[in-house]
Amino acid sequence: MSKWHFVTDGFVKNNPTFVLVLGMCPTLATTTSAMNGLEMGLATMFVLILSNIVISLIAPMVPDKVRIPVYITVIATFVTVLQLLMQAFTPSVYETLGLFIPLIVVNCIVLGRAEGFANKHSVGESALDGLGVGLGFTASLTVIGIVREILGSGSLFGWKFIAGDGILAFVMAPGAFLVLGFLMVLFNKYLAKK
Amino acid sequence: MAAESTLKNMVLCLSAVCLICAAVVGGAYAMTKEPIDEAARAKTTASIAAVLPEFAGTPEQASVNVDGTDYTYYKTDSGCAVISSTSGFGGALTLMVGIASDGTVHNTTVLSHTETPGLGAKCTTDEHFIGQFQGFDPKQKSLTVKKDGGDLDAITASTITSRAYALAVSNAVKVFNKLNEGGQGNE
């Protein structure tokens, strides 16, 4: 019996961005370029995998009534560790993402997976689920970032192929909503066909 | 599957989790403190080197008060790098401005900003705009944008950012002038 579907579920059926529509704040705010989207996704995935593992381990020992504060504490710990590590070893990435790293604590995806999956499944399954959902989130953010960067700045991963400016609205908030909306339609159309 | 929620085990569990988490965060802090300081120092050193002509030795950090604002600056044998902050379109715009010993602006670099991506944020990449400040002589020309009667081209559609940038540079020039008229040791 393969456990591979825990990973693919997070990627397609439970895609956090286009299907569950969770974690919209970092999704809209950090996807101004493909690289930013990718980095934000990876940062979230790091927290997601570790918090899923730890929470699935401690869930049987945690009294029901205090589980949410316990989960939040665990998640906040990993986010803080991540923040310190990024400040130390990738200061330039930390500068771009800035405020949105500490905000991973309140990202509904992380708590959602802890509460909705990790506390009912084994450690291995939870780790795979964290990986899947994390990859799904990363891929979605990168795709949104790619579209916004092409339309908004005429470049891709920083490589500029159109001289001059793109359509600036796509780099700013309105473009984020537009691109997210259209991609969500496309994704769900594809899912419905299957 | 979850343990029973009695007051005793709730308190115990929460305290234990908090203790462990605090220990983990504390450990991570202790481990990363050195690299974080190192990265911050490297960044400062790199931006000083970027805005000043080649210099020997280590830049000396000091601060000075000009018109009620404290400025941090780094003194070297080729000039002076001043950290100058003004408010741009989206918040504080902080520059490192290098002024050579002859009083001309050598180069500028943005330390931090919150300008609009694609508009004001171009102040970090727009070569024409940044290039105007290289070798700028504040005694010959006026450090304001053309719209305000000065000699600088503003970034298209980002006059507020351009003004803030120009103001930051001109404040840095003021700092430099104050340092030089009052002699050294004016800390």
Side-chain angles (χ1 to χ4, degrees):
Chain A
M1 174 31 211
S2 158
K3 290 188 168 175
W4 184 236
H5 73 95
F6 286 115
V7 178
T8 50
D9 272 2
F11 209 86
V12 183
K13 204 179 86 195
N14 283 334
N15 185 296
T17 308
F18 298 131
V19 180
L20 304 179
V21 199
L22 289 175
M24 285 297 108
C25 165
T27 305
L28 293 167
T30 62
T31 54
T32 49
S33 72
M35 205 57 207
N36 288 358
L38 180 68
E39 288 161 353
M40 186 66 209
L42 291 178
T44 311
M45 183 165 85
F46 171 86
V47 174
L48 201 50
I49 295 176
L50 289 176
S51 68
N52 259 10
I53 291 175
V54 170
I55 285 165
S56 69
L57 274 174
I58 61 171
M61 293 174 277
V62 176
D64 217 29
K65 281 184 185 157
V66 291
R67 68 181 195 285
I68 301 287
V70 168
Y71 298 168
I72 287 288
T73 313
V74 170
I75 296 167
T77 306
F78 284 122
V79 172
T80 313
V81 170
L82 172 74
Q83 194 184 349
L84 290 168
L85 287 175
M86 285 179 77
Q87 264 179 303
F89 302 110
T90 55
S92 60
V93 178
Y94 180 75
E95 242 162 65
T96 349
L97 298 178
L99 177 66
F100 291 98
I101 295 300
L103 278 179
I104 296 175
V105 179
V106 289
N107 190 324
C108 345
I109 299 172
V110 184
L111 186 62
R113 292 326 283 174
E115 173 71 8
F117 190 95
N119 65 359
K120 306 182 191 71
H121 290 80
S122 74
V123 179
E125 288 167 357
S126 302
L128 288 176
D129 179 74
L131 179 70
V133 174
L135 282 176
F137 190 61
T138 308
S140 315
L141 255 59
T142 312
V143 170
I144 300 175
I146 288 174
V147 175
R148 287 181 67 188
E149 197 181 342
I150 291 177
L151 293 175
S153 326
S155 59
L156 187 57
F157 285 103
W159 173 68
K160 203 147 174 61
F161 56 85
I162 301 173
D165 297 332
I167 310 162
L168 284 179
F170 280 99
V171 183
M172 290 183 280
F177 283 101
L178 274 175
V179 172
L180 177 68
F182 277 107
L183 286 176
M184 211 180 271
V185 169
L186 283 176
F187 194 88
N188 285 293
K189 194 174 170 219
Y190 162 79
L191 269 192
K193 255 194 212 151
K194 269 187 29 175
Chain B
M1 47 111 245
E4 201 195 337
S5 309
T6 61
L7 181 65
K8 195 178 135 208
N9 71 7
M10 283 196 291
V11 171
L12 267 178
C13 171
L14 256 184
S15 317
V17 168
C18 288
L19 263 178
I20 295 169
C21 288
V24 171
V25 171
Y29 175 78
M31 262 164 44
T32 52
K33 191 172 185 320
E34 196 49 41
I36 289 175
D37 290 347
E38 189 66 37
R41 257 199 310 276
K43 200 188 160 203
T44 315
T45 316
S47 46
I48 295 172
V51 297
L52 280 180
E54 231 175 283
F55 55 85
T58 342
E60 242 178 85
Q61 185 184 345
S63 67
V64 64
N65 189 298
V66 177
D67 299 340
T69 317
D70 281 319
Y71 292 89
T72 302
Y73 65 93
Y74 298 87
K75 191 138 185 58
T76 69
D77 55 9
S78 70
C80 190
V82 183
I83 295 177
S84 175
S85 189
T86 51
S87 71
F89 187 72
L93 174 72
T94 307
L95 305 183
M96 176 80 86
V97 182
I99 301 165
S101 312
D102 61 358
T104 60
V105 177
H106 184 73
N107 203 352
T108 57
T109 184
V110 178
L111 293 180
S112 70
H113 75 91
T114 46
E115 302 305 291
T116 320
L119 290 170
K122 272 194 283 188
C123 68
T124 60
T125 52
D126 191 317
E127 278 165 27
H128 175 71
F129 181 73
I130 301 167
Q132 298 178 95
F133 294 99
Q134 293 165 5
F136 193 98
D137 187 351
K139 289 179 213 96
Q140 309 281 323
K141 291 191 270 183
S142 150
L143 258 174
T144 45
V145 293
K146 280 187 178 148
K147 226 182 209 169
D148 301 339
D151 291 304
L152 295 167
D153 290 322
I155 303 168
T156 316
S158 311
T159 313
I160 294 174
T161 306
S162 311
R163 267 186 198 138
Y165 203 105
L167 181 64
V169 176
S170 111
N171 284 346
V173 171
K174 274 189 208 154
V175 171
F176 180 82
N177 290 341
K178 170 146 186 188
L179 289 176
N180 281 24
E181 80 192 21
Q184 305 336 327
N186 199 352
E187 276 146 39

